[in-house]
Amino acid sequence: MPPYRLQVLLDIRMKAEDEAKEAFSASVKALDVEKKKLVGMQKDLEDRKVGRKAKVAAFLTEVTKKGGGISGFQQMNRFEQRLKDEEAQLSLEIERQKEAVTEAEKLVEQRRQEMAEAATERKAIEKHKETWAKQVRFERQQKEEMNQEEIGGVLHLARRRAAEKKS
């Protein structure tokens, strides 16, 4: 069978499909990392909110023990406000992380489409190769049949001439 003239293209398509699969896998892993980071940040925020209440209560207990008066309560309010500001900052970071997760999800979908497209292109070339191979086999079979008929005709003629010479 002659070599397939589009074999290089088929090899390129197969390599592109493999690369698309690897890119898809990497994007899925990146999405998983971003989601875990988001969950961790959300848990940290919840822990901080719970911890803030406990810290403020402990601070209040300490201030009342010392008898700090108004300045102690002002310090407690500033302390509580600082903790709330840290929580607000973390909330902003969580929103940014949600955007990062959304971008990672979009990238995963894009990679999925690229992978599907690469597979489709490879399958098209493979289908063409199958069709080409069938055509080559058919042509070879036709040629073989024609050769057999020609050999049969030559043998028939040779036998006929031999029979005519004898008579």
Side-chain angles (χ1 to χ4, degrees):
M1 183 178 290
Y4 182 55
R5 66 182 192 274
L6 297 178
Q7 185 62 43
V8 173
L9 181 60
L10 178 60
D11 294 342
I12 290 170
R13 295 288 192 239
M14 291 173 81
K15 184 179 178 186
E17 182 182 24
D18 291 341
E19 289 172 356
K21 286 178 181 178
E22 289 174 16
F24 175 73
S25 177
S27 65
V28 167
K29 288 177 184 174
L31 174 61
D32 191 42
V33 167
E34 295 295 333
K35 283 183 176 180
K36 286 180 180 177
K37 188 175 178 182
L38 176 62
V39 168
M41 292 171 88
Q42 289 172 332
K43 184 176 181 333
D44 185 32
L45 179 61
E46 290 302 314
D47 291 345
R48 285 182 185 216
K49 285 181 179 180
V50 170
R52 174 176 41 95
K53 293 175 185 173
K55 287 178 184 178
V56 168
F59 197 89
L60 179 62
T61 304
E62 188 179 317
V63 166
T64 53
K65 266 187 190 177
K66 291 181 181 177
I70 300 241
S71 66
F73 284 108
Q74 288 174 340
Q75 285 179 339
M76 183 191 72
N77 286 337
R78 284 194 301 269
F79 177 70
E80 185 176 15
Q81 189 58 44
R82 186 174 54 86
L83 292 176
K84 285 182 181 180
D85 289 344
E86 288 175 2
E87 290 171 11
Q89 182 63 32
L90 185 57
S91 292
L92 289 174
E93 290 175 21
I94 287 173
E95 289 306 313
R96 282 191 218 113
Q97 187 61 30
K98 285 180 181 177
E99 291 172 9
V101 168
T102 302
E103 288 300 315
E105 287 172 342
K106 287 178 184 177
L107 183 62
V108 165
E109 187 55 35
Q110 177 185 349
R111 296 290 189 235
R112 182 187 326 272
Q113 290 173 355
E114 290 171 359
M115 186 176 63
E117 186 175 313
T120 301
E121 289 174 355
R122 179 192 50 81
K123 286 178 185 177
I125 295 294
E126 285 179 344
K127 181 70 174 167
H128 181 269
K129 184 176 181 179
E130 289 173 15
T131 304
W132 172 82
K134 284 180 186 177
Q135 182 66 30
V136 167
R137 282 192 298 274
F138 177 75
E139 288 173 2
R140 184 176 286 162
Q141 184 180 0
Q142 292 296 322
K143 196 173 190 180
E144 186 68 29
E145 287 175 10
M146 190 182 305
N147 287 341
Q148 291 295 327
E149 285 181 22
E150 194 174 311
I151 290 171
V154 169
L155 288 175
H156 177 68
L157 260 165
R159 286 184 193 141
R160 191 187 216 184
R161 284 187 187 153
E164 286 176 4
K165 282 184 182 180
K166 285 186 181 179
S167 20

